[in-house]
Amino acid sequence: DAGVTQSPTHLIKTRGQQVTLRCSPKSGHDTVSWYQQALGQGPQFIFQYYEEEERQRGNFPDRFSGHQFPNYSSELNVNALLLGDSALYLCASSFSQSEQFFGPGTRLTVL
Amino acid sequence: GIQVEQSPPDLILQEGANSTLRCNFSDSVNNLQWFHQNPWGQLINLFYIPSGTKQNGRLSATTVATERYSLLYISSSQTTDSGVYFCAVGANDYKLSFGAGTTVTVRA
């Protein structure tokens, strides 16, 4: 049984560009959450998707948007990248509100 | 939102030693998870423990929900136990709120 997968592993962008990160949940999971982890800090909740709708959003600007597909996979899009967006982006999947399982993350560097 | 405090922030152990990590939270929760983050950033699930006690090998955890804290015990520590340990909690919403983590270094 494959766990949560994310792509790409690493990404380098320049300020002002746009980026799309992808996540496939564990088999049997229907909920995908996205987190941002800055260096030396704990992960911060960005938003959660369930039934292809954004169910809850954390304290992040509208530049951060997402999507969930019918197969439960998800994308995180960030527009107009800032230097401060450099971080590890983690995707987690769960069945409804149960235990969350995390993917290996995408490390984004904004130059 | 819920505040999560972990202590100590850093812990240095000799191989074979035992240790206790603590997680305090500011409100009632219905989800509490302990994770180990490896050097590559992967969060490894250790325990899903909103209440009660669980054990898995050399690790065990106890959550006292009424007193709003959880403890993670590491016994007979090994160098592979090194890394950052996070406590994360959820209430009547959908997100996990993380503490700042405890960085554990186990020396051979």
Side-chain angles (χ1 to χ4, degrees), chain A residues 33 35 37 41-43 45 48 55-56 88 90 97-104 107, chain B residues 31 33 35 37 40-43 45 47-48 86 91-96 98-100:
Chain A
S33 303
Y35 294 80
Q37 186 177 20
Q41 298 181 20
F45 176 77
Q48 185 180 90
R55 181 155 68 175
Q56 186 179 0
L88 179 67
L90 295 164
Q97 282 185 270
S98 65
E99 184 178 6
Q100 294 190 22
F101 292 83
F102 283 78
R107 196 165 296 277
Chain B
N31 182 356
Q33 295 185 235
F35 298 93
Q37 189 165 43
W40 297 272
Q42 172 87 56
L43 283 170
N45 288 48
F47 294 102
Y48 173 68
F86 286 104
N92 293 319
D93 54 10
Y94 306 103
K95 68 178 183 182
L96 286 178
F98 282 75

Side-chain angles (χ1 to χ4, degrees), chain A residues 62-103:
Chain A
D62 292 344
R63 299 186 296 108
F64 290 76
S65 63
H67 190 77
Q68 186 179 33
F69 299 94
N71 67 352
Y72 306 116
S73 66
S74 178
E75 289 182 350
L76 164 65
N77 301 292
V78 187
N79 294 323
L81 285 167
L82 303 174
L83 296 179
D85 295 331
S86 295
L88 179 67
Y89 288 84
L90 295 164
C91 167
S93 77
S94 61
F95 177 70
S96 188
Q97 282 185 270
S98 65
E99 184 178 6
Q100 294 190 22
F101 292 83
F102 283 78

